[in-house]
Amino acid sequence: MKHAKTATQNACKLCNPLGACLAFRGIEKCVPFLHGSQGCATYIRRYLISHYKEPIDIASSNFNEETAVFGGSHNLKLGLKNVTQQYLPEVIGIATTCLSETIGDDVKGILREYMKESISRTGEPILIHASTPSYQGSHIDGFHAAVRAAVETLAEKGVPRNLLNLFPNMVSPADLRHLQEILDDFQLPSMILPDYSKTLDGGPWAEYHRIPPGGTPAAAIATSASAIGSIEFGSTLEASKSAAGWLESKFGVPRYHLPLPIGIRESDRFFGLLEAISQKPRPEKYDDERRRLVDAYSDGHKYVFDKAAIVYGEEDLVISMTAFLQEIGIRPVLCASGGKSGLMRKKLEALIPDLDGEGIKVRDGVDFADIEDEAALLRPDLLIGNSKGYTMSRKSGIPLIRIGFPIHDRFGGQRHHHLGYRGTLELFDRIVNTVIETRQDDSEIGYTYM
Amino acid sequence: MEQIGILEGREKQIFEKKDGGQAFDISCETTSLSGSVSQRACVFCGSRVVLYPVADALHLVHGPIGCAAYTWDIRGAVSSGPELHRLSFSTDLREMDVIYGGEKKLYASLIELIEKFSPKAAFIYSTCIIGLIGDDIDAVCRKVAKETGIPVLPVHSEGFKGTKKDGYKAACTALMKLVGTGPIEDISPYSINILGEFNLAGEAWIIRKYYEEMGIEVVSTMTGDGRVGAVRRAHGATLNVVQCSGSMTSLAKDMEAKYGIPYIRVSYFGIEDMSAALYDVAKHFPDRPEIMEKAKEIVSREVRNLYPKLQKFKAALSGKKAAIYVGGAFKTFSLIKALRSVGMSVVLAGSQTGNKEDYLALKEMCDEGTVIVDDSNPVELSKFILEKEADLLIGGVKERPIAFKLGVGFCDHNHERKIPLAGFEGMYNFILEVYQSVMSPVWQFAPRKGGSL
Ligand code: SF4
Ligand code: SF4
């Protein structure tokens, strides 16, 4: 008899503070700070470094036994003082770990106290605090919590401006650059948060930058309350947890909520929204990109039609990838995520009403052991997700197409495009090429012309 | 360059060797300063490092998901058989478990995993949260051991209860429970255990081959291609040979106390230290001179083979400067010697976990002007690299991007390596990698070397 599974075997998710640190890295002159023990900060650093290949300094308040018993107030204050002295930050992004959450540190209170005590000191950074215990949710929740906390801390009522907020979700630095380009081409003044396109994918240095250049300036985040609207990507991101939701309820800034724009339909929706907001037609350049994409779809359709794929990763990414796969005729036989918002199925149904009829299985809260079990039954042609599926791919012989985060076994993960017509085209090329390569490898003849 | 200061409270962890300079009083073996971006990890990390290569044991991390997720298959320790160590198991505690305790979940997870994977033993790592919520791990382990018939060993590695070194100790305590439970009748008196060698990219195999060639029986490589069965028999060996970092010294000491097995410390990096590691073991068996004869033969054969190959590198690398920042201090000694043998000097030598003796010894062997640091951070490291104009940094994953950002060559010397650097063949690999990074033409584009920003 098969028992219900208790232990997690090869997790398909990471922990809350990782997402928060990533988001904080996208704020200008900000140092991420973990309130908890040393190990979490170090592990998260090495994990992020392996993907982005950039120095990533994350400070920690370094709990010891006493701290765990008597509370982290002293360590937190000392840590903030030291970070301020050594890094000269304008912002410190504080994320709590499981430990500090469990002992019940009143972080907000401690920070208030700290600010009061340091009132005489000049150049004190702004403190942003996100509550991120890992036993609630996963890295993506930490990411959104940090973005929201940044807005809650910084946004101020001001004169209305011609400004669009964009909360892009956990996309690649290359995607962030692409989004910025699109907004610029629509001549829409914008505030993208977070923006780690430079801080996590930058150039060489002549000297060590304690904080890498780039990121969304605090002053820009402050203006977000006076914007004409906020676009927010993320199918499962609820208004109650999101920055855009908060801005809407608090300042009446309209929230436009979209899935990640992957594939033609979702990209059309995004560009359509930008046309409506900017009152300008889509620039010709994107018409061209769209045309090229449609053309590529036709050129490549036979390679991919009716192939079966398993897609896994963050729920939002999985949902949007699924929609895209449907467009090109790939059957997503399993949509899997380690996340568990409880919304994945519903959101997928909104895009593909007849999930069951189409033979699309949806499972959230899974690990790689579960996905592997499913793969053994479903025998898909392709696996689509982050690097961590490599073990499964190697064992089963099913090729893996790497998307999202983390990518630890290939070069250039931070430069992958996923969004818009251009990102979709890049994804499409990779998928078609993977199919071709597999056919070539499997062929006894070794055709050079496929 | 903008002025980078040293944090208050860290001044005593940094020392620069100067003629008639200050008295040597480096502060070390303390916990990291709050708010400094330490390159160090935690107690759990120390335990995980040591026990990871035991390939036929189940490694279950008890706590929320992070600690297990971040350590999933990140190391280069290889196995000649089972590969259970490369999987990541966690109890993945949720909020209700944190409130009501995780013992039930731990029990159920263990039973289910042992049934599924039939391990020879199970190691249960307790992480920070467990230290707080007070789960009685020992009781669960006892219960499961009784029900399943395999050793189920608690590893008390709550991250905040000390430093990485305490994690080494916790791992040794767990291993010590296994030692002495296997049969030893057929073990030769000319036998050793190899301790603290993690078989990164097969290094333990290289070392083992040398010793076996000398006519010595290797009872257990303990945690390098480790097997529970071999650890159980380890008390049958005549000598424990402990590799540098000191991660397994406490086990060697415990075995000495309990079983009267002496130990020696060695290093397998560089020609000098690798040769010494063979000679020192041979010296331990004076009644069999052929062991020493064989050791000499191996050394002269390997050196004869290696020496000419290094000359090309030496010509290129002579006069280049290296900075070293690694986990254990003992490794630094070997690296300094190895680099000197190809004409390189060392301008910065530091470690995450060195003790006073280590640093004193370092001071003795370093050149004038060398900076010695304990528990450093990126800001300091980069400051010294730039000030001392290093051409190479040796470190781990977290140090790598610092070097590359600044246009400095880098060589990995940590647990994630996939290329063996130990032994004579390892020395070749090491110097080859140093050469390939230091001499690469790409650095000409680095702003520091005149490239544009
Ligand atoms: S304790 Fe929590 S925050 Fe730290 S690594 Fe584990 S899961 Fe992540
Ligand atoms: S410090 Fe604690 S929670 Fe963080 S990684 Fe180490 S054991 Fe896990």
Side-chain angles (χ1 to χ4, degrees):
Chain A
M1 197 194 86
K2 214 175 156 207
H3 318 264
K5 187 163 148 290
T6 312
T8 296
Q9 302 169 29
N10 300 341
C12 184
K13 62 178 172 184
L14 297 157
C15 77
N16 232 311
L18 176 133
C21 290
L22 181 60
F24 286 139
R25 199 64 306 181
I27 297 177
E28 192 181 52
K29 288 249 154 216
C30 173
V31 174
F33 185 111
L34 278 193
H35 185 40
S37 3
Q38 175 65 56
C40 317
T42 307
Y43 276 133
I44 289 172
R45 283 177 66 205
R46 74 155 291 293
Y47 213 82
L48 289 169
I49 286 171
S50 300
H51 177 90
Y52 292 103
K53 303 186 166 55
E54 295 279 332
I56 296 171
D57 291 7
I58 299 171
S60 154
S61 56
N62 255 320
F63 271 47
N64 54 32
E65 214 149 349
E66 257 167 56
T67 330
V69 177
F70 299 113
S73 161
H74 169 76
N75 272 44
L76 180 51
K77 289 179 188 170
L78 175 65
L80 292 173
K81 202 179 115 232
N82 280 336
V83 169
T84 305
Q85 187 195 326
Q86 192 162 37
Y87 283 82
L88 311 174
E90 274 168 24
V91 182
I92 300 179
I94 300 140
T96 36
T97 67
C98 304
L99 194 58
S100 52
E101 289 280 343
T102 307
I103 64 172
D105 266 351
D106 170 19
V107 174
K108 289 245 172 353
I110 300 172
L111 296 184
R112 256 197 313 274
E113 255 175 57
Y114 175 81
M115 288 309 282
K116 226 192 272 156
E117 289 160 14
S118 64
I119 211 89
S120 54
R121 297 201 289 267
T122 45
E124 278 299 316
I126 300 160
L127 306 177
I128 299 171
H129 165 234
S131 165
T132 50
S134 236
Y135 44 77
Q136 299 168 345
S138 67
H139 61 291
I140 194 71
D141 301 285
F143 183 90
H144 294 312
V147 174
R148 182 176 163 122
V151 171
E152 280 187 36
T153 309
L154 290 163
E156 294 165 356
K157 181 110 205 105
V159 276
R161 302 162 181 254
N162 180 28
L163 173 82
L164 179 69
N165 301 322
L166 176 62
F167 300 105
N169 208 320
M170 215 175 118
V171 298
S172 75
D175 283 331
L176 289 173
R177 285 190 288 270
H178 185 43
L179 289 170
Q180 184 69 62
E181 178 189 346
I182 294 171
L183 295 177
D184 289 349
D185 289 339
F186 272 97
Q187 291 167 323
L188 270 168
S190 59
M191 193 282 301
I192 300 185
L193 179 70
D195 178 6
Y196 40 79
S197 62
K198 282 208 186 82
T199 57
L200 291 179
D201 196 14
W205 296 347
E207 59 186 43
Y208 193 75
H209 294 287
R210 290 174 252 213
I211 306 174
T216 319
I221 304 173
T223 61
S224 61
S226 355
I228 47 171
S230 311
I231 299 183
E232 172 172 86
F233 296 148
S235 312
T236 62
L237 178 54
E238 290 174 287
S240 62
K241 290 189 180 154
S242 81
W246 186 82
L247 285 171
E248 185 171 61
S249 66
K250 181 95 183 178
F251 296 105
V253 179
R255 169 185 187 242
Y256 305 100
H257 181 234
L258 296 181
L260 286 161
I262 303 175
I264 292 180
R265 261 193 232 104
E266 291 311 316
S267 298
D268 282 351
R269 204 194 307 214
F270 173 50
F271 279 96
L273 179 60
L274 290 179
E275 286 182 332
I277 293 174
S278 68
Q279 304 285 330
K280 288 191 187 76
R282 182 171 68 196
E284 179 70 23
K285 175 174 159 190
Y286 299 101
D287 294 344
D288 278 343
E289 285 188 2
R290 192 181 188 282
R291 280 193 279 267
R292 277 198 292 274
L293 180 57
V294 175
D295 203 49
Y297 273 15
S298 348
D299 294 342
H301 72 280
K302 277 194 198 172
Y303 294 104
V304 293
F305 181 64
D306 217 22
K307 291 269 184 277
I310 288 181
V311 195
Y312 62 86
E314 286 108 35
E315 292 172 291
D316 293 334
L317 184 60
V318 167
I319 292 167
S320 296
M321 276 303 293
T322 303
F324 157 58
L325 293 178
Q326 277 261 314
E327 281 184 357
I328 59 175
I330 289 188
R331 289 181 292 118
V333 285
L334 172 68
C335 308
S337 178
K340 203 169 177 45
S341 65
L343 296 170
M344 190 157 80
R345 193 181 166 87
K346 213 173 107 211
K347 297 295 169 178
L348 271 166
E349 266 165 5
L351 292 167
I352 308 159
D354 186 18
L355 283 180
D356 298 327
E358 308 252 358
I360 301 176
K361 260 187 153 179
V362 181
R363 290 194 59 187
D364 60 3
V366 296
D367 59 19
F368 279 103
D370 299 318
I371 303 177
E372 251 182 86
D373 287 348
E374 293 276 11
L377 297 173
L378 298 165
R379 306 240 25 97
D381 303 294
L382 299 166
L383 300 169
I384 302 177
N386 58 51
S387 273
K388 295 301 164 192
Y390 174 67
T391 318
M392 166 172 67
S393 158
R394 181 179 165 103
K395 253 204 253 170
S396 61
I398 303 167
L400 168 65
I401 293 155
R402 288 162 180 79
I403 56 162
F405 173 91
I407 294 181
H408 289 161
D409 65 338
R410 283 293 182 276
F411 194 64
Q414 71 276 45
R415 291 182 287 271
H416 282 166
H417 280 115
H418 306 79
L419 306 186
Y421 308 117
R422 194 185 300 169
T424 305
L425 183 55
E426 194 180 293
L427 283 175
F428 186 71
D429 283 348
R430 288 170 62 206
I431 294 174
V432 172
N433 280 330
T434 305
V435 172
I436 292 177
E437 191 181 330
T438 309
R439 275 171 59 173
Q440 215 165 17
D441 288 349
D442 292 348
S443 142
E444 289 189 354
I445 300 173
Y447 296 105
T448 53
Y449 183 88
M450 297 282 289
Chain B
M1 187 176 128
E2 60 173 327
Q3 208 48 48
I4 296 180
I6 304 300
L7 275 181
E8 196 181 315
R10 277 204 40 80
E11 302 91 344
K12 289 193 77 181
Q13 281 171 277
I14 299 158
F15 176 88
E16 185 165 349
K17 183 167 172 178
K18 278 198 206 100
D19 239 356
Q22 86 254 55
F24 188 73
D25 178 28
I26 197 163
S27 147
C28 51
E29 295 193 277
T30 59
T31 49
S32 303
L33 186 63
S34 175
S36 80
V37 180
S38 172
Q39 305 293 86
R40 273 181 185 167
C42 61
V43 182
F44 163 70
C45 175
S47 301
R48 195 79 176 91
V49 167
V50 170
L51 295 174
Y52 177 86
V54 182
D56 56 354
L58 178 83
H59 300 266
L60 173 63
V61 183
H62 187 30
I65 198 64
C67 328
Y70 300 130
T71 49
W72 175 17
D73 200 23
I74 63 174
R75 305 201 172 272
V78 285
S79 164
S80 53
E83 294 204 316
L84 208 42
H85 66 305
R86 297 187 56 201
L87 303 179
S88 165
F89 300 109
S90 168
T91 47
D92 190 0
L93 296 187
R94 313 309 305 161
E95 189 154 28
M96 286 303 135
D97 306 316
V98 174
I99 297 170
Y100 297 110
E103 287 172 29
K104 277 211 188 93
K105 198 166 187 190
L106 173 61
Y107 172 81
S109 302
L110 270 171
I111 295 290
E112 151 192 314
L113 292 170
I114 291 172
E115 193 175 307
K116 181 166 176 190
F117 293 99
S118 316
K120 292 285 189 295
F123 293 105
I124 317 309
Y125 303 79
S126 50
T127 58
C128 283
I129 278 280
I130 305 307
L132 267 192
I133 62 175
D135 277 2
D136 188 350
I137 294 208
D138 293 23
V140 177
C141 287
R142 271 196 305 274
K143 184 167 176 216
V144 176
K146 210 158 140 215
E147 287 175 21
T148 59
I150 64 163
V152 182
L153 305 159
V155 186
H156 291 286
S157 51
E158 294 87 349
F160 63 87
K161 291 193 174 165
T163 65
K164 192 169 168 185
K165 261 191 172 169
D166 299 288
Y168 295 155
K169 198 132 192 254
C172 289
T173 307
L175 282 174
M176 192 62 191
K177 292 195 185 126
L178 281 177
V179 173
T181 59
I184 56 170
E185 293 74 34
D186 53 348
I187 294 175
S188 150
Y190 304 95
S191 57
I192 59 171
N193 294 309
I194 297 177
L195 271 62
E197 161 46 61
F198 300 106
N199 203 33
L200 304 174
E203 289 177 339
W205 298 331
I206 296 176
I207 308 300
R208 188 183 186 122
K209 195 183 69 201
Y210 297 147
Y211 287 128
E212 284 174 353
E213 213 185 320
M214 283 158 60
I216 287 170
E217 177 177 349
V218 178
V219 180
S220 146
T221 40
M222 207 58 92
T223 58
D225 195 13
R227 293 293 180 279
V228 173
V231 177
R232 284 165 169 259
R233 300 170 72 234
H235 61 303
T238 314
L239 176 71
N240 276 333
V241 183
V242 186
Q243 145 106 326
C244 35
S245 72
S247 58
M248 296 281 276
T249 316
S250 87
L251 183 73
K253 283 187 179 152
D254 288 351
M255 285 178 73
E256 184 167 39
K258 188 159 178 192
Y259 301 103
I261 305 172
Y263 72 91
I264 55 172
R265 277 176 96 184
V266 300
S267 163
Y268 303 123
F269 298 112
I271 298 174
E272 250 178 274
D273 286 356
M274 183 61 237
S275 308
L278 300 184
Y279 293 146
D280 288 351
V281 168
K283 273 188 218 145
H284 196 78
F285 303 103
D287 58 322
R288 272 221 182 161
E290 59 272 34
I291 293 184
M292 181 57 90
E293 282 312 307
K294 199 70 204 180
K296 286 183 182 157
E297 206 181 297
I298 295 172
V299 170
S300 72
R301 177 189 76 206
E302 296 293 330
V303 172
R304 220 181 309 125
N305 176 21
L306 180 61
Y307 189 77
K309 288 199 228 158
L310 293 181
Q311 294 323 297
K312 167 183 157 197
F313 302 140
K314 188 169 179 176
L317 294 171
S318 274
K320 301 279 183 203
K321 291 180 259 180
I324 303 174
Y325 187 74
V326 289
F330 208 77
K331 188 152 73 184
T332 315
F333 305 150
S334 300
L335 290 173
I336 293 175
K337 288 184 235 168
L339 291 168
R340 274 189 188 152
S341 71
V342 288
M344 289 179 71
S345 63
V346 171
V347 292
L348 168 79
S351 89
Q352 291 173 24
T353 56
N355 62 30
K356 271 235 158 76
E357 278 165 50
D358 295 333
Y359 287 123
L360 257 177
L362 257 186
K363 183 202 152 203
E364 286 313 309
M365 74 184 289
C366 283
D367 300 326
E368 285 294 309
T370 304
V371 175
I372 297 170
V373 287
D374 178 58
D375 186 20
S376 201
N377 53 55
V379 173
E380 282 173 19
L381 287 176
S382 58
K383 166 186 158 80
F384 296 130
I385 289 170
L386 292 179
E387 281 176 7
K388 299 284 173 187
E389 299 182 329
D391 303 287
L392 173 74
L393 173 65
I394 299 181
V397 185
K398 294 185 299 298
E399 285 76 50
R400 188 194 303 139
I402 302 175
F404 290 166
K405 267 286 162 210
L406 298 171
V408 171
F410 180 83
C411 179
D412 250 316
H413 217 301
N414 73 343
H415 286 268
E416 302 182 20
R417 288 184 283 116
K418 307 294 187 294
I419 298 170
L421 304 183
F424 300 100
E425 5 335 26
M427 173 68 182
Y428 177 78
N429 295 339
F430 173 63
I431 298 299
L432 173 67
E433 195 181 330
V434 168
Y435 170 80
Q436 286 172 339
S437 194
V438 171
M439 301 310 294
S440 167
V442 302
W443 306 128
Q444 66 183 305
F445 302 105
R448 232 164 43 88
K449 301 270 171 70
S452 58
L453 261 173

